Amino acid sequence: MNESDFVGRDVVSIWDFSREELEFIFDRTSEIEKSGSPRTLEGKLVALLFYEPSTRTHSTFEVAAQRLGCATTGFSAPDKSSVAKGETLHDTIRMYEGYGADCIVVRHNLMGASRFAAEVASVPLISGGDGSREHPTQAMVDLYAMRKTFGKIDGLRVGILGDLKYGRTASSLCYGLSNYDVEISLIAPDLLAARKETLAALAKKGVKVRSTSDVKDVLGSLDVLYVTRIQKERIPDPTEYERVRGLYKVDLELLRQGKKGLKVMHPLPRLDELANEIDGTEYAGYFTQAAAGVPLRMALLRMVVS
Ligand code: NCD
Protein backbone atom coordinates (compact mmCIF):
# COMPACT_ATOMS: atom_id res chain seq x y z
CA MET A 1 0.00 0.00 0.00
CA ASN A 2 1.25 3.52 -0.66
CA GLU A 3 -0.14 7.04 -0.30
CA SER A 4 -1.07 7.37 -3.97
CA ASP A 5 -3.56 4.47 -3.55
CA PHE A 6 -5.76 6.93 -1.67
CA VAL A 7 -5.80 9.74 -4.22
CA GLY A 8 -9.37 10.79 -5.03
CA ARG A 9 -10.91 8.77 -2.19
CA ASP A 10 -13.96 10.12 -0.37
CA VAL A 11 -14.04 9.81 3.41
CA VAL A 12 -17.73 9.61 4.25
CA SER A 13 -17.88 6.54 6.48
CA ILE A 14 -15.42 4.72 8.69
CA TRP A 15 -16.85 1.51 7.16
CA ASP A 16 -15.17 2.40 3.86
CA PHE A 17 -11.73 1.79 5.41
CA SER A 18 -10.22 -1.61 6.12
CA ARG A 19 -8.08 -2.27 9.14
CA GLU A 20 -4.97 -2.26 6.91
CA GLU A 21 -5.94 1.11 5.46
CA LEU A 22 -6.61 2.55 8.91
CA GLU A 23 -3.23 1.32 10.14
CA PHE A 24 -1.58 2.83 7.06
CA ILE A 25 -3.22 6.20 7.82
CA PHE A 26 -2.12 5.94 11.47
CA ASP A 27 1.48 5.20 10.43
CA ARG A 28 1.50 8.32 8.25
CA THR A 29 -0.05 10.33 11.11
CA SER A 30 2.65 9.16 13.47
CA GLU A 31 5.39 10.12 10.98
CA ILE A 32 3.86 13.59 10.61
CA GLU A 33 3.63 13.94 14.40
CA LYS A 34 7.31 13.11 14.73
CA SER A 35 8.81 14.98 11.80
CA GLY A 36 6.16 17.16 10.17
CA SER A 37 5.33 16.94 6.50
CA PRO A 38 6.61 18.55 3.33
CA ARG A 39 4.20 21.20 2.01
CA THR A 40 3.03 18.86 -0.74
CA LEU A 41 -0.29 20.67 -1.32
CA GLU A 42 1.19 24.06 -2.19
CA GLY A 43 -1.27 25.83 -4.53
CA LYS A 44 -4.22 23.59 -3.65
CA LEU A 45 -7.53 24.71 -2.17
CA VAL A 46 -9.66 22.95 0.47
CA ALA A 47 -13.26 24.09 0.98
CA LEU A 48 -14.66 23.72 4.49
CA LEU A 49 -18.47 23.78 4.35
CA PHE A 50 -19.79 23.56 7.89
CA TYR A 51 -23.57 23.53 8.23
CA GLU A 52 -23.27 22.86 11.98
CA PRO A 53 -21.13 24.42 14.71
CA SER A 54 -17.63 23.08 15.17
CA THR A 55 -14.45 24.02 16.97
CA ARG A 56 -12.03 21.09 16.69
CA THR A 57 -13.03 19.56 13.38
CA HIS A 58 -13.13 22.87 11.52
CA SER A 59 -9.94 24.25 13.05
CA THR A 60 -7.92 21.07 12.70
CA PHE A 61 -8.82 20.74 9.02
CA GLU A 62 -7.87 24.39 8.56
CA VAL A 63 -4.56 24.04 10.38
CA ALA A 64 -3.83 20.72 8.63
CA ALA A 65 -4.46 22.27 5.21
CA GLN A 66 -2.30 25.30 6.00
CA ARG A 67 0.59 23.16 7.25
CA LEU A 68 0.53 21.34 3.92
CA GLY A 69 0.76 24.65 2.08
CA CYS A 70 -2.87 24.60 1.05
CA ALA A 71 -5.34 27.50 1.12
CA THR A 72 -8.82 27.14 2.64
CA THR A 73 -12.18 28.71 1.90
CA GLY A 74 -15.82 28.09 2.85
CA PHE A 75 -18.02 28.88 5.82
CA SER A 76 -18.32 27.75 9.40
CA ALA A 77 -21.86 28.95 9.99
CA PRO A 78 -24.62 28.44 7.41
CA ASP A 79 -26.39 31.61 8.56
CA LYS A 80 -23.51 33.63 7.10
CA SER A 81 -23.74 32.04 3.64
CA SER A 82 -26.39 31.68 0.95
CA VAL A 83 -27.51 28.50 2.71
CA ALA A 84 -29.59 30.91 4.81
CA LYS A 85 -31.32 32.01 1.58
CA GLY A 86 -32.20 28.42 0.78
CA GLU A 87 -29.34 27.40 -1.49
CA THR A 88 -29.14 23.63 -1.79
CA LEU A 89 -26.20 21.48 -0.77
CA HIS A 90 -25.95 20.37 -4.40
CA ASP A 91 -25.53 23.93 -5.70
CA THR A 92 -23.12 24.88 -2.94
CA ILE A 93 -20.87 21.92 -3.75
CA ARG A 94 -20.94 22.81 -7.45
CA MET A 95 -19.98 26.41 -6.63
CA TYR A 96 -16.94 25.48 -4.58
CA GLU A 97 -15.81 23.03 -7.23
CA GLY A 98 -16.12 25.86 -9.72
CA TYR A 99 -13.88 28.03 -7.52
CA GLY A 100 -11.21 25.37 -7.87
CA ALA A 101 -11.55 23.41 -4.60
CA ASP A 102 -9.33 20.31 -4.72
CA CYS A 103 -11.10 18.75 -1.74
CA ILE A 104 -14.34 19.54 0.10
CA VAL A 105 -15.03 18.93 3.78
CA VAL A 106 -18.70 18.94 4.77
CA ARG A 107 -20.31 18.88 8.21
CA HIS A 108 -24.07 18.56 8.17
CA ASN A 109 -26.95 17.96 10.56
CA LEU A 110 -28.59 15.46 8.21
CA MET A 111 -27.49 11.86 7.99
CA GLY A 112 -26.35 10.95 4.48
CA ALA A 113 -25.52 14.54 3.51
CA SER A 114 -21.82 13.75 3.02
CA ARG A 115 -22.59 10.71 0.87
CA PHE A 116 -24.89 12.87 -1.25
CA ALA A 117 -22.26 15.62 -1.46
CA ALA A 118 -19.66 13.03 -2.49
CA GLU A 119 -21.88 11.97 -5.37
CA VAL A 120 -22.18 15.58 -6.55
CA ALA A 121 -18.49 16.43 -6.16
CA SER A 122 -15.86 15.23 -8.58
CA VAL A 123 -13.11 16.04 -6.08
CA PRO A 124 -12.57 14.08 -2.81
CA LEU A 125 -15.27 14.72 -0.23
CA ILE A 126 -14.47 14.33 3.45
CA SER A 127 -17.21 14.20 6.06
CA GLY A 128 -16.69 16.38 9.11
CA GLY A 129 -19.60 14.53 10.74
CA ASP A 130 -23.18 14.14 9.61
CA GLY A 131 -26.39 13.46 11.50
CA SER A 132 -26.19 11.13 14.46
CA ARG A 133 -24.31 8.22 12.90
CA GLU A 134 -21.06 9.04 11.24
CA HIS A 135 -18.02 11.12 12.05
CA PRO A 136 -15.32 9.11 10.30
CA THR A 137 -12.32 11.37 10.84
CA GLN A 138 -13.13 11.71 14.55
CA ALA A 139 -13.22 7.91 14.81
CA MET A 140 -9.80 7.83 13.12
CA VAL A 141 -8.48 10.40 15.60
CA ASP A 142 -9.90 8.35 18.49
CA LEU A 143 -8.42 5.07 17.25
CA TYR A 144 -5.09 6.73 16.57
CA ALA A 145 -5.02 8.21 20.09
CA MET A 146 -5.71 4.76 21.55
CA ARG A 147 -2.97 3.19 19.47
CA LYS A 148 -0.55 5.93 20.49
CA THR A 149 -1.37 5.65 24.20
CA PHE A 150 -1.40 1.86 24.50
CA GLY A 151 0.91 0.84 21.66
CA LYS A 152 -1.88 -1.17 20.01
CA ILE A 153 -5.64 -1.36 19.86
CA ASP A 154 -6.02 -5.14 19.92
CA GLY A 155 -6.69 -6.39 23.42
CA LEU A 156 -8.16 -3.14 24.72
CA ARG A 157 -11.31 -3.00 26.78
CA VAL A 158 -13.15 0.15 25.81
CA GLY A 159 -16.17 1.58 27.62
CA ILE A 160 -18.24 4.08 25.65
CA LEU A 161 -20.39 6.15 27.98
CA GLY A 162 -23.11 8.65 27.28
CA ASP A 163 -25.38 9.41 24.39
CA LEU A 164 -24.99 6.29 22.28
CA LYS A 165 -28.24 6.90 20.46
CA TYR A 166 -27.69 10.35 18.95
CA GLY A 167 -23.90 10.71 19.28
CA ARG A 168 -22.18 10.17 15.95
CA THR A 169 -18.70 9.91 17.43
CA ALA A 170 -19.83 6.98 19.59
CA SER A 171 -21.28 5.00 16.70
CA SER A 172 -18.40 5.77 14.33
CA LEU A 173 -15.95 4.70 17.04
CA CYS A 174 -17.85 1.43 17.55
CA TYR A 175 -17.66 0.73 13.82
CA GLY A 176 -13.94 1.57 13.72
CA LEU A 177 -13.17 -0.55 16.78
CA SER A 178 -14.94 -3.52 15.20
CA ASN A 179 -11.83 -3.97 13.00
CA TYR A 180 -9.86 -4.88 16.11
CA ASP A 181 -9.87 -7.60 18.74
CA VAL A 182 -11.44 -5.49 21.50
CA GLU A 183 -14.14 -5.73 24.11
CA ILE A 184 -16.66 -2.90 24.06
CA SER A 185 -18.87 -1.89 26.96
CA LEU A 186 -21.78 0.29 25.95
CA ILE A 187 -22.82 2.38 28.94
CA ALA A 188 -25.89 4.60 28.63
CA PRO A 189 -29.14 5.52 30.32
CA ASP A 190 -31.95 3.49 28.70
CA LEU A 191 -33.24 6.47 26.72
CA LEU A 192 -29.81 7.00 25.15
CA ALA A 193 -28.88 3.33 24.61
CA ALA A 194 -27.13 2.35 21.38
CA ARG A 195 -29.35 1.85 18.36
CA LYS A 196 -30.17 -1.65 17.20
CA GLU A 197 -28.24 -1.16 14.00
CA THR A 198 -25.04 -0.41 15.97
CA LEU A 199 -25.50 -3.54 18.06
CA ALA A 200 -26.25 -5.61 14.97
CA ALA A 201 -23.14 -4.29 13.20
CA LEU A 202 -20.93 -5.17 16.18
CA ALA A 203 -22.52 -8.62 16.48
CA LYS A 204 -21.94 -9.26 12.78
CA LYS A 205 -18.25 -8.47 13.20
CA GLY A 206 -18.06 -10.79 16.24
CA VAL A 207 -17.13 -8.03 18.71
CA LYS A 208 -17.63 -8.85 22.39
CA VAL A 209 -20.14 -6.30 23.68
CA ARG A 210 -21.56 -5.67 27.13
CA SER A 211 -24.38 -3.20 27.67
CA THR A 212 -25.25 -1.53 30.95
CA SER A 213 -26.68 1.70 32.30
CA ASP A 214 -24.26 1.79 35.24
CA VAL A 215 -20.60 2.53 34.54
CA LYS A 216 -19.61 0.88 37.84
CA ASP A 217 -20.66 -2.51 36.42
CA VAL A 218 -17.75 -2.45 33.98
CA LEU A 219 -15.32 0.26 35.12
CA GLY A 220 -12.94 -2.15 36.88
CA SER A 221 -12.06 -3.91 33.62
CA LEU A 222 -11.69 -0.90 31.31
CA ASP A 223 -8.50 0.45 29.70
CA VAL A 224 -10.37 3.34 28.08
CA LEU A 225 -13.48 5.17 29.20
CA TYR A 226 -14.73 7.19 26.22
CA VAL A 227 -17.22 9.77 27.49
CA THR A 228 -19.67 11.68 25.29
CA ARG A 229 -22.05 14.55 25.92
CA ILE A 230 -25.81 14.32 25.55
CA GLN A 231 -26.66 15.58 22.06
CA LYS A 232 -29.39 17.93 23.21
CA GLU A 233 -29.80 19.42 19.72
CA ARG A 234 -30.58 16.00 18.21
CA ILE A 235 -33.09 14.78 20.80
CA PRO A 236 -36.46 15.33 19.12
CA ASP A 237 -38.48 15.75 22.31
CA PRO A 238 -37.39 18.30 24.98
CA THR A 239 -39.07 16.27 27.73
CA GLU A 240 -36.89 13.32 26.74
CA TYR A 241 -33.82 15.53 27.24
CA GLU A 242 -35.04 16.62 30.68
CA ARG A 243 -35.29 12.97 31.69
CA VAL A 244 -31.67 12.16 30.82
CA ARG A 245 -29.98 15.43 31.70
CA GLY A 246 -27.33 15.06 34.40
CA LEU A 247 -27.80 11.27 34.61
CA TYR A 248 -24.10 10.51 34.38
CA LYS A 249 -20.95 12.29 35.45
CA VAL A 250 -17.36 11.16 35.44
CA ASP A 251 -15.20 12.54 38.25
CA LEU A 252 -12.06 11.55 40.13
CA GLU A 253 -13.93 9.67 42.80
CA LEU A 254 -15.40 7.41 40.13
CA LEU A 255 -12.14 6.97 38.21
CA ARG A 256 -10.31 5.85 41.36
CA GLN A 257 -12.48 2.73 41.21
CA GLY A 258 -11.05 1.91 37.79
CA LYS A 259 -7.96 -0.11 37.02
CA LYS A 260 -4.43 1.26 36.89
CA GLY A 261 -3.62 2.96 33.61
CA LEU A 262 -7.28 3.77 32.84
CA LYS A 263 -7.50 6.61 30.29
CA VAL A 264 -10.47 8.88 29.82
CA MET A 265 -11.18 10.05 26.29
CA HIS A 266 -13.81 12.47 25.04
CA PRO A 267 -14.39 13.86 21.52
CA LEU A 268 -15.21 17.23 23.15
CA PRO A 269 -16.93 19.59 23.67
CA ARG A 270 -17.69 18.51 27.23
CA LEU A 271 -20.51 19.85 29.29
CA ASP A 272 -21.07 18.64 32.82
CA GLU A 273 -20.49 14.91 32.14
CA LEU A 274 -16.71 15.17 32.60
CA ALA A 275 -15.34 16.97 35.66
CA ASN A 276 -12.58 19.55 35.15
CA GLU A 277 -10.72 18.12 38.16
CA ILE A 278 -9.59 15.22 35.90
CA ASP A 279 -7.69 17.53 33.54
CA GLY A 280 -4.31 17.54 35.25
CA THR A 281 -4.33 13.86 36.22
CA GLU A 282 -2.91 10.74 34.55
CA TYR A 283 -6.46 9.73 33.60
CA ALA A 284 -6.90 12.62 31.17
CA GLY A 285 -6.37 11.51 27.60
CA TYR A 286 -8.71 13.94 25.88
CA PHE A 287 -6.38 16.85 25.20
CA THR A 288 -3.76 14.59 23.59
CA GLN A 289 -6.62 12.98 21.65
CA ALA A 290 -7.82 16.37 20.39
CA ALA A 291 -4.29 17.42 19.39
CA ALA A 292 -3.95 14.29 17.22
CA GLY A 293 -6.66 15.80 15.00
CA VAL A 294 -4.11 17.97 13.18
CA PRO A 295 -1.55 15.33 12.08
CA LEU A 296 -4.30 12.82 11.29
CA ARG A 297 -6.15 15.26 9.05
CA MET A 298 -2.85 16.30 7.48
CA ALA A 299 -2.21 12.66 6.61
CA LEU A 300 -5.70 12.28 5.13
CA LEU A 301 -5.58 15.48 3.08
CA ARG A 302 -2.12 14.66 1.78
CA MET A 303 -3.31 11.22 0.72
CA VAL A 304 -6.64 12.02 -0.95
CA VAL A 305 -5.74 15.28 -2.70
CA SER A 306 -3.72 14.57 -5.81
C1 NCD B 1 -18.41 15.98 18.07
C2 NCD B 1 -19.43 16.07 16.96
O1 NCD B 1 -19.53 17.08 16.31
O2 NCD B 1 -20.07 15.06 16.72
N1 NCD B 1 -17.47 16.99 18.09
C3 NCD B 1 -16.28 16.77 17.48
O3 NCD B 1 -16.18 16.76 16.28
N2 NCD B 1 -15.21 16.55 18.25
C4 NCD B 1 -18.95 15.66 19.40
C5 NCD B 1 -20.11 16.45 19.93
O4 NCD B 1 -20.55 17.43 19.35
O5 NCD B 1 -20.57 16.05 21.00
Side-chain angles (χ1 to χ4, degrees):
M1 200 178 298
N2 52 58
E3 288 200 22
S4 58
D5 296 339
F6 291 80
V7 171
R9 280 275 293 267
D10 298 316
V11 183
V12 295
S13 169
I14 193 78
W15 285 124
D16 298 339
F17 292 81
S18 67
R19 173 179 169 134
E20 291 66 34
E21 287 173 332
L22 289 172
E23 289 293 321
F24 184 82
I25 294 166
F26 300 156
D27 289 342
R28 302 291 78 71
T29 304
S30 167
E31 284 164 15
I32 292 172
E33 249 189 339
K34 288 194 189 99
S35 26
S37 166
R39 292 164 67 85
T40 46
L41 299 188
E42 210 89 53
K44 303 280 182 190
L45 179 66
V46 172
L48 304 171
L49 313 184
F50 276 58
Y51 290 79
E52 268 194 336
S54 170
T55 302
R56 273 147 295 275
T57 308
H58 189 277
S59 300
T60 52
F61 267 113
E62 197 167 53
V63 173
Q66 287 163 359
R67 296 228 169 119
L68 293 166
C70 200
T72 58
T73 183
F75 51 86
S76 55
D79 58 331
K80 304 235 167 37
S81 76
S82 277
V83 173
K85 300 180 191 164
E87 184 159 72
T88 63
L89 178 58
H90 171 276
D91 287 0
T92 306
I93 297 287
R94 295 295 299 272
M95 283 311 109
Y96 281 94
E97 264 202 88
Y99 301 153
D102 298 285
C103 176
I104 300 175
V105 181
V106 171
R107 163 168 288 193
H108 208 284
N109 54 314
L110 292 180
M111 187 182 80
S114 324
R115 184 74 73 192
F116 171 77
E119 280 163 19
V120 174
S122 58
V123 295
L125 191 298
I126 303 181
S127 164
D130 66 12
S132 51
R133 286 165 208 218
E134 289 271 10
H135 194 343
T137 66
Q138 180 66 44
M140 289 177 189
V141 170
D142 299 341
L143 292 170
Y144 175 74
M146 286 182 201
R147 191 181 95 153
K148 189 178 164 188
T149 306
F150 294 93
K152 61 184 173 77
I153 299 170
D154 284 327
L156 291 180
R157 292 182 171 163
V158 181
I160 307 180
L161 165 67
D163 187 345
L164 309 185
K165 188 170 180 183
Y166 300 106
R168 57 193 172 203
T169 65
S171 61
S172 262
L173 178 60
C174 282
Y175 302 157
L177 280 170
S178 72
N179 290 294
Y180 295 87
D181 179 19
V182 292
E183 268 180 50
I184 300 181
S185 295
L186 298 172
I187 313 149
D190 291 344
L191 276 173
L192 300 177
R195 294 181 305 272
K196 275 191 197 141
E197 103 228 2
T198 309
L199 299 173
L202 292 174
K204 198 168 161 203
K205 293 272 248 161
V207 182
K208 288 181 223 105
V209 175
R210 284 194 285 180
S211 297
T212 177
S213 57
D214 187 353
V215 63
K216 289 186 184 149
D217 290 345
V218 292
L219 185 66
S221 69
L222 299 180
D223 300 296
V224 176
L225 179 61
Y226 185 95
V227 187
T228 63
R229 75 173 170 99
I230 298 178
Q231 307 277 303
K232 183 181 177 190
E233 70 278 26
R234 298 189 210 289
I235 297 183
D237 177 355
T239 58
E240 204 180 316
Y241 173 69
E242 287 308 321
R243 281 197 277 159
V244 286
R245 186 171 133 160
L247 270 187
Y248 58 94
K249 173 148 188 159
V250 174
D251 56 17
L252 275 180
E253 194 192 334
L254 176 79
L255 294 177
R256 288 196 186 107
Q257 298 169 46
K259 80 177 196 195
K260 202 171 173 316
L262 169 67
K263 281 279 178 256
V264 177
M265 294 178 65
H266 194 304
L268 304 174
R270 70 171 140 189
L271 300 178
D272 56 0
E273 70 282 350
L274 184 61
N276 290 5
E277 63 183 12
I278 302 165
D279 293 2
T281 70
E282 75 270 29
Y283 297 112
Y286 33 93
F287 292 125
T288 327
Q289 174 193 359
V294 172
L296 188 124
R297 291 180 173 112
M298 281 175 78
L300 269 184
L301 285 174
R302 198 173 76 181
M303 290 160 74
V304 303
V305 178
S306 57

